[in-house]
Amino acid sequence: MNELGLYQLFKDIITKSKVMRRFVTGPNYGDELNKDNAGEVLKDFLKGISDGNKYPICIMFPPVELPNFDTNWSKYRCRLLFLTPQYNDVNGTQNRNPFNNLSQHTTEQIWKDMGVCAKDFRRFLNMLIEKFPEAGLRECTSIDMIERFSGVGNDNLAGVGLTFELDLSISCDIEDYSVDDINNFTINTNELHPHHEH
């Protein structure tokens, strides 16, 4: 598996979710959520929005890669946000108070709901890693972390952020340079800036 396969795997897992509507990568670290036209800016990775309902959404920040060229494994530090509007969803006002038409669904309840989605995502991912050891993906000994968020972006989203690490097998082949490049290479050992009086 390569890096693009990792993104596709996460998207495929979210597709199976009964709660989450979509998965997107956020190359601008979530700044996409501050656009007035977030529905147009946030497109599904490899496929456009097809049903018009964008929330609840799982947005993945660009991962941090820590390659180990001695073992041909790279550690990927992943951060995913599981977010939904704080008071309204695709069905209207959440837990509507019949007397004033305001939502009675608290931010704490959204943290709990989105936290369940994040933990279930992580458990499902772990089961897949165990079931498919040949996929070139393995667990790390890192500690997962869940953070709570509210008032995110123009759509006033709330939810949780899930941070975890995975090891991804990397190719031992060098793609950008040839053997001839290495064999014909010389290192300049001359003094490039000789000492002089100032």
Side-chain angles (χ1 to χ4, degrees):
M1 179 178 292
N2 62 26
E3 180 178 341
L4 294 178
L6 186 67
Y7 305 150
Q8 186 64 50
L9 174 63
F10 290 174
K11 181 184 186 323
D12 292 343
I13 293 172
I14 292 298
T15 300
K16 299 289 185 190
S17 171
K18 294 174 182 62
V19 176
M20 302 305 296
R21 300 295 296 163
R22 66 189 68 261
F23 170 84
V24 297
T25 56
N28 296 321
Y29 293 89
D31 186 51
E32 297 87 349
L33 298 170
N34 292 320
K35 308 294 184 198
D36 289 333
N37 60 338
E40 289 301 314
V41 174
L42 290 174
K43 297 292 186 183
D44 280 356
F45 187 71
L46 303 180
K47 185 169 115 178
I49 293 174
S50 58
D51 60 10
N53 297 324
K54 59 186 180 232
Y55 299 123
I57 191 171
C58 176
I59 183 168
M60 179 182 183
F61 288 176
V64 176
E65 181 180 4
L66 305 165
N68 184 334
F69 298 110
D70 294 328
T71 65
N72 294 323
W73 287 91
S74 273
K75 185 179 303 300
Y76 275 78
R77 185 168 298 142
C78 302
R79 188 168 192 215
L80 285 71
L81 300 185
F82 294 76
L83 301 169
T84 195
Q86 287 189 246
Y87 305 109
N88 300 300
D89 61 17
V90 294
N91 299 315
T93 304
Q94 297 185 55
N95 193 22
R96 184 178 66 84
N97 182 326
F99 301 107
N100 61 17
N101 286 331
L102 297 177
S103 173
Q104 299 180 96
H105 202 236
T106 67
T107 299
E108 291 85 354
Q109 289 170 328
I110 291 175
W111 289 342
K112 179 262 178 194
D113 293 344
M114 292 293 99
V116 168
C117 292
K119 292 170 191 172
D120 284 352
F121 170 90
R122 190 66 171 102
R123 289 183 182 113
F124 193 84
L125 177 60
N126 288 348
M127 289 187 275
L128 291 177
I129 291 171
E130 188 175 320
K131 182 176 180 179
F132 300 102
E134 70 281 0
L137 195 60
R138 68 182 185 193
E139 271 298 308
C140 291
T141 57
S142 67
I143 297 174
D144 292 8
M145 183 173 65
I146 294 182
E147 304 167 87
R148 274 76 178 159
F149 295 97
S150 60
V152 176
N154 288 346
D155 287 352
N156 199 25
L157 306 175
V160 300
L162 170 66
T163 304
F164 60 95
E165 293 179 353
L166 293 172
D167 280 338
L168 188 67
S169 177
I170 57 175
S171 171
C172 57
D173 297 329
I174 298 177
E175 298 177 28
D176 196 26
Y177 302 95
S178 69
V179 174
D180 287 341
D181 292 332
I182 296 171
N183 292 337
N184 297 325
F185 198 88
T186 57
I187 297 177
N188 185 353
T189 57
N190 296 327
E191 178 61 61
L192 298 178
H193 185 66
H195 178 74
H196 57 83
E197 295 295 328
H198 294 279

